[in-house]
Amino acid sequence: MRRFLLALAGGAALSLAFPGYGQWWVAPVSVAALALATVRTRARAGFALGLAFGLAFLVPTLSWSGSYLGIVPWAALAVSQSLYFALLGWGSALLQRRGVRPLVVALAWVAQEALRDRTPYGGFPWVRLAFSQADSPFGHVAAVGGAPTVTFLVALAGGFLGYAAHAAYPITLKTPRTPAGRAAVLRAGAAAAGCVLAGFLVPLPTAGPTARIMAIQGNVPRPGLDFNAERRRVLDNHVSVTVSGAQRERDAGAPTPDLVVWPENASDIDPTRNPDAAAAISQAVTAVGAPILLGGLLEEPAPQVSNVSLLYRPGAGLVGRYAKQHPVPFAEYIPNRSFWRIFSTQVDLLRTDMWAGPGPVVFRVPAASGGDVVAGPSICFEVAYDDLVRANVDLGANLLVVQTNNATFGFTHESVQQLAISRIRAIEHGRSVAHVSTVGVSALILPDGTLLQPTTLFTPAALVADLPVRLERTLADRLGAWPEYCAVFGMLALLVGTALSRRRRKDLTSP
């Protein structure tokens, strides 16, 4: 029972590390709790303890998924994702027969997230350990090896904390404390502190040529699933805020923006098939005198639809498009529809599946300061996928653009959880980020993760700032996914080695 309560407490506490609460230091403590709960126990018990930890963490942290859809999708998402934590508990128990092993803890967390980020249907890389660390020294390490390296360092610190706690007060209550045990506590505590301080050794440069970026949060008539019931109203809101923002800038004597960014779903009226929508967009482009990169919905390829970023330039109209590569399963398309219909006919509430775009695209526009703004778009949840954002940088993006629509999640923590992911991406790639939502929280982000002009929810806003547009590649850019691959390989090697060792012992003891 003591282990079970420790796992529940650790999981519940981990939710406090994420935006909305923002107590980043709780993350390694929560990792330590699971490490302690699973030490010196059977693998099957570890599976159950990991499941309890996952449920206690994910049920509150993903509560936004049930804001308007109800308890069924919320429960389905939380339970399915908790199974990965059950595997984490199983692996931790299997490899911690003799005590807490910090390196095992760190490798297990990275491997669990690597699996969760990719399965099923492309995975769900939300609320990864790294994404709770945008305000912490741990977050700086994203520039070295990306989000997986941040997770590794946080979990390693948690492993050392767990080691210290187990040396001071073994959960089995069978090992007395000794002077050697007290020395182990001090060493492990110092190692955990070293993991925290390591982030301060990573430089986060922000200097470089700048481009003037305007981000438009136009707002919607109402929150909820029917946010786009008045699609023309949403489009008109973004036109109006753009026109007024441009006039404000001119009145202040400010230079014309190099690029204006509208969010996802700013025009869910297909402007390539509806002249009135195209005219409204043209009005905004003319008023601001700058290219507008907007989020829209195209009624193609039939019978599907496309969630897109469209680039409009003054005097030229539509000159470029990007289609979302990773539509969200069960939200933007129904995978294996006939199978899932057996369990619920509600899958047919989504009548039209969204098409997956063929690949990454960057948009080039000239900057007044010289050179080009090369914008790499990510639409909504795509920002959580390491490879999709990295592909934009590989194509030469010097500005990352995250276009999202949080209207369906109301006044929940989903929007700030997503904003924190964009901050980690800024640090990881050394790029400024324009994070723009229909309803907020929107912000312009410097390459070191610093927020500029964050908005409030459901409030129209026009954000303008001169953002560095850097071309220098971070070490994380150069290493790509290799740090994560190495961690996964290391974890698999430990599991295979343990299995072979147990088999040899069994063979030696058998008659």
Side-chain angles (χ1 to χ4, degrees):
M1 178 58 71
R2 183 168 53 238
R3 294 178 184 271
F4 183 72
L5 293 176
L6 184 59
L8 286 177
L14 184 55
S15 65
L16 301 178
F18 284 82
Y21 303 104
Q23 305 302 311
W24 61 264
W25 56 270
V26 176
V29 176
S30 297
V31 171
L34 182 60
L36 281 170
T38 55
V39 72
R40 292 183 178 176
T41 190
R42 293 181 180 274
R44 284 178 294 180
F47 185 93
L49 290 166
L51 182 63
F53 180 97
L55 289 170
F57 165 47
L58 293 171
V59 168
T61 310
L62 299 180
S63 59
W64 48 263
S65 61
S67 299
Y68 295 99
L69 291 171
I71 194 172
V72 173
W74 175 16
L77 183 60
V79 171
S80 63
Q81 295 300 300
S82 294
L83 292 175
Y84 293 92
F85 287 89
L87 291 175
L88 171 63
W90 171 83
S92 298
L94 192 65
L95 298 175
Q96 294 190 123
R97 296 292 192 185
R98 298 181 179 179
V100 175
R101 299 172 65 185
L103 182 60
V104 165
V105 171
L107 293 176
W109 272 87
V110 176
Q112 172 265 138
E113 289 188 352
L115 185 62
R116 185 163 67 91
D117 296 352
R118 292 167 173 81
T119 60
Y121 305 120
F124 183 71
W126 206 260
V127 290
R128 292 159 66 181
L129 209 56
F131 297 154
S132 66
Q133 300 300 307
D135 286 313
S136 84
F138 288 117
H140 296 193
V141 184
V144 175
T149 305
V150 179
T151 288
F152 179 87
L153 198 62
V154 173
L156 185 64
F160 281 122
L161 289 177
Y163 183 93
H166 192 247
Y169 189 73
I171 195 168
T172 57
L173 296 182
K174 294 178 181 178
T175 306
R177 281 176 284 183
T178 65
R182 288 191 288 272
V185 170
L186 293 176
R187 288 194 300 270
C195 291
V196 179
L197 297 175
F200 290 114
L201 301 178
V202 180
L204 300 179
T206 60
T210 62
R212 195 160 183 82
I213 307 300
M214 174 182 282
I216 302 299
Q217 179 178 302
N219 206 5
V220 300
R222 64 184 69 86
L225 293 176
D226 60 347
F227 72 91
N228 65 347
E230 300 176 49
R231 293 182 294 172
R232 183 53 195 260
R233 175 89 172 273
V234 176
L235 173 57
D236 288 344
N237 283 355
H238 286 83
V239 172
S240 175
V241 176
T242 301
V243 172
S244 61
Q247 186 61 51
R248 182 194 67 195
E249 291 295 293
R250 279 193 294 269
D251 291 344
T256 300
D258 294 307
L259 178 66
V260 179
V261 184
W262 288 5
E264 179 189 25
N265 300 125
S267 178
D268 275 356
I269 304 172
D270 186 342
T272 67
R273 289 171 170 76
N274 295 274
D276 58 332
I281 295 168
S282 179
Q283 175 192 353
V285 172
T286 301
V288 75
I292 294 181
L293 181 60
L294 64 93
L297 206 63
L298 300 184
E299 299 168 16
E300 59 181 60
Q304 299 172 304
V305 296
S306 301
N307 191 352
V308 295
S309 296
L310 303 174
L311 180 65
Y312 283 80
R313 295 181 66 171
L318 177 60
V319 296
R321 67 178 66 184
Y322 162 74
K324 187 175 185 180
Q325 300 172 72
H326 199 301
V328 180
F330 303 102
E332 294 176 323
Y333 78 101
I334 303 297
N336 308 117
R337 187 183 290 264
S338 59
F339 172 77
W340 292 110
R341 190 183 289 118
I342 297 172
F343 301 95
S344 175
T345 58
Q346 287 189 339
V347 297
D348 292 324
L349 292 175
L350 184 65
R351 298 180 181 180
T352 304
D353 286 338
M354 190 165 288
W355 178 65
V361 172
V362 294
F363 300 102
R364 291 180 178 273
V365 300
S369 59
D372 290 336
V373 178
V374 186
S378 299
I379 299 177
C380 197
F381 279 59
E382 286 187 322
V383 70
Y385 292 88
D386 296 350
D387 57 335
L388 296 184
V389 182
R390 187 185 304 118
N392 289 332
V393 177
D394 290 341
L395 286 178
N398 56 20
L399 173 72
L400 300 178
V401 173
V402 179
Q403 297 165 292
T404 186
N405 174 23
N406 309 110
T408 52
F409 304 114
F411 293 88
T412 68
H413 292 163
E414 188 273 346
S415 60
V416 288
Q417 289 175 6
Q418 188 176 40
L419 182 62
I421 300 174
S422 288
R423 295 179 66 191
I424 290 294
R425 296 303 182 207
I427 298 170
E428 178 179 356
H429 300 292
R431 298 291 188 271
S432 297
V433 178
H435 180 102
V436 193
S437 169
T438 49
V439 301
V441 174
S442 303
L444 300 175
I445 307 172
L446 294 178
D448 63 356
T450 300
L451 289 177
L452 301 179
Q453 308 171 40
T455 66
T456 55
L457 287 170
F458 295 95
T459 304
L463 315 180
V464 186
D466 293 316
L467 296 180
V469 283
R470 296 172 52 84
L471 287 172
E472 292 81 0
R473 292 169 65 85
T474 63
L475 182 58
D477 292 327
R478 295 186 176 92
L479 293 176
W482 280 107
E484 184 178 44
Y485 293 160
C486 290
V488 171
F489 178 80
M491 185 63 183
L492 290 174
L494 288 172
L495 289 172
V496 171
T498 299
L500 293 175
S501 177
R502 292 180 68 182
R503 175 170 291 184
R504 283 196 298 268
R505 287 197 301 268
K506 185 177 180 180
D507 291 342
L508 290 173
T509 57
S510 60

